[in-house]
Amino acid sequence: MKIVEVKVLSEEQKEVLRELWNNEYPARLYLKAIADFDLYLNGLSNTKHYLLLDDSDIIVGWSFTFLRDNENWFAIILNSKEQGKGNGSVLINEIKKHNKSLNGWVIDQDNEVKQNKEFYKSPMDFYIKNGFAICKEIRIENEKMSAVKISWHR
């Protein structure tokens, strides 16, 4: 496995990442077309992408950082076949190297369903294991997600 940092994603990378997003995130976060993905990405500022590639240079994970309200935020997606092997921690540690603090939204219940009809497992334990604190008083509740804010500070 290796991590490649990219400032701008190619169209091919975007398609692979949109598919990864749709396969791994809850169905209500589904991005129907590349235009939807572009709309999401274009709404972020100061974005940096970190691609986790397997030995065949296939993208199996993706993390990205961005600025929101003068705070560093991030998101991470890992192919479910690669979860539980330490690869997510490798990605998190890579973005920690480049930031003094990170914030994210985490779905904190296991009742969401993915596109393939399987239940989405909350990654909260993963974030706690990787040094993030839960900001219980800060939540997002809308038609797309129900999540709690997490943060990490060096």
Side-chain angles (χ1 to χ4, degrees):
M1 295 283 179
K2 67 181 175 186
I3 297 174
V4 177
E5 183 180 336
V6 241
K7 188 78 174 143
V8 179
L9 297 169
S10 70
E11 291 305 310
E12 182 183 336
Q13 288 168 332
K14 285 182 193 176
E15 186 53 50
V16 169
L17 295 174
R18 186 183 71 85
E19 191 175 311
L20 184 64
W21 173 296
N22 287 338
N23 288 340
E24 302 303 337
Y25 276 168
R28 59 182 175 154
L29 290 172
Y30 185 77
L31 296 170
K32 188 174 183 177
I34 279 291
D36 301 318
F37 192 57
D38 281 336
L39 189 64
Y40 172 75
L41 291 176
N42 292 339
L44 306 175
S45 66
N46 202 31
T47 312
K48 290 185 183 128
H49 304 276
Y50 301 85
L51 306 175
L52 180 66
L53 308 176
D54 69 8
D55 295 336
S56 302
D57 286 339
I58 294 170
I59 298 171
V60 295
W62 170 47
S63 186
F64 57 102
T65 58
F66 55 95
L67 278 178
R68 175 187 285 153
D69 300 327
N70 293 320
E71 290 184 317
N72 294 316
W73 283 72
F74 81 101
I76 184 172
I77 305 172
L78 193 61
N79 183 309
S80 55
K81 293 180 180 82
E82 300 302 326
Q83 294 173 14
K85 300 177 182 177
N87 294 318
S89 294
V90 168
L91 265 176
I92 285 288
N93 288 331
E94 182 65 27
I95 63 174
K96 282 179 175 179
K97 283 196 276 188
H98 302 280
N99 293 276
K100 290 182 178 155
S101 65
L102 291 167
N103 299 283
W105 293 118
V106 178
I107 296 169
D108 55 347
Q109 65 278 338
D110 292 327
N111 59 356
E112 293 283 344
V113 178
K114 300 194 300 185
Q115 279 297 113
N116 65 4
K117 308 297 183 223
E118 290 177 8
F119 279 98
Y120 174 82
K121 184 181 179 323
S122 170
M124 188 61 78
D125 291 342
F126 165 80
Y127 290 113
I128 292 168
K129 181 180 90 177
N130 280 281
F132 284 80
I134 303 167
C135 307
K136 290 184 170 103
E137 68 285 354
I138 305 173
R139 292 194 65 83
I140 184 170
E141 299 285 346
N142 60 35
E143 70 283 349
K144 292 282 188 189
M145 71 177 355
S146 170
V148 66
K149 184 178 179 182
I150 58 168
S151 70
W152 167 84
H153 300 280
R154 182 174 301 154

